[in-house]
Amino acid sequence: MTSSHKISSALISVFDKEGLAPIVQELNKQGVIIYSTGGTEKFIRDLGIEVIAVEDITSYPSILGGRVKTLHPKVFGGILNRQNVDSDQAELLEYEIPQLDLVIVDLYPFEKTVASGASDQDIIEKIDIGGISLIRAAAKNFADVLCVSDKNDYAEVLDVLIASNGAPSLEDRKRFATKAFQISSHYDSAIFSYFNQDTNASDALKLSVNEAKSLRYGENPHQAGQFFGPLGDLLNQVHGKEISYNNLLDIDAAVNLMLEFYSEKPTFAILKHNNACGFATRDTLVKAYEDALAGDPVSAFGGVLICNKKIDLATAEKINSLFCEVVIAPSYAREALALLKSKKNRVLLIQKETELAGKTIRTCLNGYLVQDRDHITDSEEMLSVVTKKEPSKEEVSDLIFASKICKHTKSNTIVLVKNGQLLASGTGQTSRVDALRQAIDKAKNFGFSLKGAVMASDAFFPFPDCVEIADNEGVGAVIQPGGSIKDQLSVDYCDSNKMSMVFTGIRHFKH
């Protein structure tokens, strides 16, 4: 194994030829013998550079419609031979195998083909065989071979070739080999995911994400943090400081919550520590913001704001007087954006239309928990009235509104709503009674009357204590999943006290 190795010959065979010409020209300048196939061979010839067709050394043409081009001992022997092993070098001479010191190969665009909606047959044909084999072989033998597998590295490769005069160091070769194995493993994971997409359960979890963003730190300053994923596909940051780990958690909670209301009237939400502390739907966005803020103006400080309509100047003027970390909207009026940019650190995001992942993944003990996303949104059609008194039309609207918020609030939770406004919620409590008392105290603290309000619970009531407490505060209607063996106790209390209650049949725990 040598620290540097002069490149005397190269195999180049790529699907995407953008940016390749300068490397080919530099290799030719350095006197490197170039071997190639098909379209790449023609590309090199069109540059006026001499190139040897791979079939001239294998004595086999490209066959089976291009499925087999480079799968031959005279190619792989040239890549995999150990240049410091005499017996390997003797076999190269015996079988007339050319030495290959540089391999530049990319892969068929499998993921792009899948994303395009192509037919199964077209997708199958984009499963690369020769390319992936060449990459693995060259990367394995990084001791003697430089493997280039990503066109995004071409500029760096050219710099290395020029700086080293065609003799890249062992450190360079190993670095590019590492990248090659990352590309090959990601490629195989994408293929597995395609074949596994119709399977409800799998005995294997394969997750490969190329896009990585380093964060200032993790949840706390002493923790390192990164985000993996194409964040730009969902959010466009138009202003502000770098998004933090905790910002991202709040943004995730905000986006998922607002998706429940995206087609509704103007709606505004304010979140803190992944839970909504303010929420309102109104005829105008500025009024929705004002009423969301009124729900908890204390917690709103340093919060994350999100809405479902374009932010106009009137709304921006109200927002600008609040210290908030992040504002998310589908768009901004020009004057509104200019005003909100007056606070240099305030993060302003434009949310794009994109589909979120269908499953959630989190670490657990020495492994991972994977589940389907909670894709069920409670609707009027799902409601089953279980009390003698039916909720009014206005109460039904509030019950659905409260249930949607409840779904996105940490368990145990109780949500109190009136007239399309979140009055208060109890979040993350070990007792449902504690969650209710927390919500009641909070609502009263900010001057709200609970008379005529509705209550939502993320899970069933095992006892009638919560409906009794709510009734004593003036709550008139309740929405809950039902499912307790003691459901009737709560129903009986409601019937005795002229309250209405509906069951959804769907629990919405959130831990």
Side-chain angles (χ1 to χ4, degrees):
M1 185 180 293
T2 56
S3 60
S4 62
H5 180 76
K6 183 72 173 177
I7 294 172
S8 60
S9 58
L11 171 62
I12 306 176
S13 181
V14 296
F15 183 86
D16 188 341
K17 299 161 188 67
E18 182 182 354
L20 181 64
I23 292 179
V24 174
Q25 290 163 342
E26 180 61 27
L27 291 173
N28 181 62
K29 180 180 176 181
Q30 294 183 3
V32 174
I33 299 170
I34 299 175
Y35 299 88
S36 191
T37 64
T40 309
E41 177 191 345
K42 180 180 183 303
F43 174 83
I44 295 172
R45 289 193 194 281
D46 288 346
L47 292 175
I49 294 173
E50 185 176 350
V51 58
I52 300 172
V54 166
E55 47 260 48
D56 289 346
I57 61 172
T58 64
S59 298
Y60 272 92
S62 172
I63 62 173
L64 306 180
R67 280 190 165 197
V68 180
K69 298 177 184 176
T70 56
L71 296 170
H72 195 283
K74 283 197 172 183
V75 174
F76 282 86
I79 297 170
L80 286 166
N81 74 90
R82 293 156 292 185
Q83 296 187 29
N84 63 343
V85 176
D86 291 342
S87 59
D88 282 10
Q89 298 309 301
E91 287 183 297
L92 291 190
L93 290 173
E94 180 181 356
Y95 297 110
E96 298 180 333
I97 299 173
Q99 175 67 53
L100 295 172
D101 309 300
L102 169 64
V103 173
I104 302 178
V105 175
D106 64 4
L107 300 172
Y108 290 153
F110 179 82
E111 289 178 285
K112 287 184 178 179
T113 305
V114 172
S116 73
S119 68
D120 285 345
Q121 186 56 44
D122 287 341
I123 291 170
I124 295 301
E125 288 305 315
K126 287 298 184 290
I127 297 177
D128 208 310
I129 303 300
I132 200 82
S133 301
L134 291 167
I135 287 172
R136 289 178 63 85
K140 174 180 178 176
N141 201 26
F142 71 89
D144 296 306
V145 179
L146 176 63
C147 179
V148 181
S149 53
D150 187 348
K151 73 172 187 177
N152 293 322
D153 294 332
Y154 285 175
E156 183 181 358
V157 170
L158 182 60
D159 289 343
V160 167
L161 291 174
I162 294 173
S164 68
N165 193 29
S169 67
L170 177 61
E171 181 183 3
D172 285 333
R173 298 196 301 273
K174 188 172 184 179
R175 177 162 48 83
F176 281 103
T178 302
K179 176 71 174 288
F181 282 121
Q182 181 259 317
I183 285 175
S184 66
S185 66
H186 177 80
Y187 195 77
D188 286 338
S189 293
I191 295 170
F192 169 80
S193 295
Y194 170 74
F195 279 96
N196 196 52
Q197 62 186 328
D198 296 326
T199 304
N200 291 326
S202 175
D203 57 4
L205 172 64
K206 296 188 182 298
L207 181 67
S208 179
V209 183
N210 281 332
E211 299 91 342
K213 175 181 174 60
S214 294
L215 306 174
R216 295 198 305 273
Y217 51 80
E219 201 162 8
N220 299 292
H222 62 276
Q223 296 170 270
Q226 284 181 290
F227 176 83
F228 290 89
L231 189 60
D233 290 353
L234 175 63
L235 298 167
N236 177 27
Q237 183 171 353
V238 295
H239 182 70
K241 65 182 180 180
E242 183 181 349
I243 299 174
S244 71
Y245 182 99
N246 291 328
N247 287 158
L248 285 167
L249 289 176
D250 281 330
I251 291 168
D252 176 69
V255 167
N256 279 281
L257 172 58
M258 192 53 69
L259 283 175
E260 306 278 359
F261 298 85
Y262 223 67
S263 60
E264 303 291 333
K265 292 194 303 181
T267 301
F268 225 106
I270 304 172
L271 287 88
K272 196 74 170 289
H273 296 294
N274 311 155
N275 295 306
C277 59
F279 203 102
T281 293
R282 293 292 183 260
D283 290 330
T284 65
L285 192 63
V286 65
K287 183 60 176 172
Y289 170 73
E290 289 175 334
D291 287 352
L293 180 62
D296 187 349
V298 175
S299 295
F301 183 86
V304 169
L305 281 56
I306 187 169
C307 61
N308 64 349
K309 306 296 180 187
K310 176 191 283 189
I311 292 182
D312 54 25
L313 180 58
T315 307
E317 287 173 341
K318 296 290 185 179
I319 293 172
N320 203 47
S321 64
L322 173 73
F323 169 72
C324 58
E325 291 271 346
V326 180
V327 181
I328 311 165
S331 60
Y332 300 80
R334 186 173 58 182
E335 322 86 71
L337 185 60
L339 177 62
L340 293 174
K341 283 183 175 181
S342 64
K343 305 292 175 66
K344 70 174 184 177
N345 288 329
R346 179 188 286 150
V347 175
L348 302 179
L349 300 172
I350 295 175
Q351 183 179 342
K352 307 174 187 177
E353 288 189 22
T354 189
E355 188 174 341
L356 298 178
K359 293 184 181 294
T360 64
I361 302 173
R362 65 196 296 182
T363 59
C364 181
L365 300 175
N366 61 341
Y368 301 87
L369 281 173
V370 181
Q371 68 171 350
D372 293 336
R373 183 178 293 278
D374 186 354
H375 62 277
I376 295 178
T377 297
D378 295 341
S379 62
E380 188 172 346
E381 295 72 29
M382 296 169 57
L383 303 185
S384 174
V385 179
V386 295
T387 50
K388 294 176 183 177
K389 181 182 179 182
E390 293 195 6
S392 67
K393 181 180 179 180
E394 292 75 19
E395 285 177 325
V396 169
S397 178
D398 274 348
L399 288 169
I400 296 299
F401 182 92
S403 180
K404 290 178 179 180
I405 298 173
C406 198
K407 172 184 171 182
H408 294 275
T409 305
K410 296 289 186 182
S411 301
N412 287 314
T413 184
I414 293 289
V415 170
L416 301 175
V417 162
K418 184 164 68 174
N419 298 329
Q421 180 184 23
L422 173 64
L423 303 184
S425 58
T427 63
Q429 298 301 302
T430 54
S431 157
R432 203 157 299 282
V433 171
D434 287 345
L436 175 56
R437 292 194 187 282
Q438 182 189 48
I440 292 171
D441 289 345
K442 189 173 181 181
K444 288 181 175 180
N445 187 51
F446 291 112
F448 291 111
S449 168
L450 294 177
K451 185 174 178 58
V454 305
M455 175 174 72
S457 174
D458 59 337
F460 63 65
F461 297 113
F463 304 102
D465 45 6
C466 281
V467 289
E468 181 177 357
I469 294 169
D471 174 42
N472 291 336
E473 297 295 337
V475 172
V478 180
I479 185 170
Q480 60 139 320
S484 169
I485 60 174
K486 296 182 179 180
D487 275 344
Q488 196 59 43
L489 294 177
S490 294
V491 174
D492 289 344
Y493 180 90
C494 289
D495 284 339
S496 298
N497 293 274
K498 298 181 179 179
M499 297 176 71
S500 61
M501 178 180 284
V502 297
F503 286 179
T504 64
I506 300 295
R507 188 182 74 184
H508 291 295
F509 270 162
K510 190 175 192 300
H511 294 106

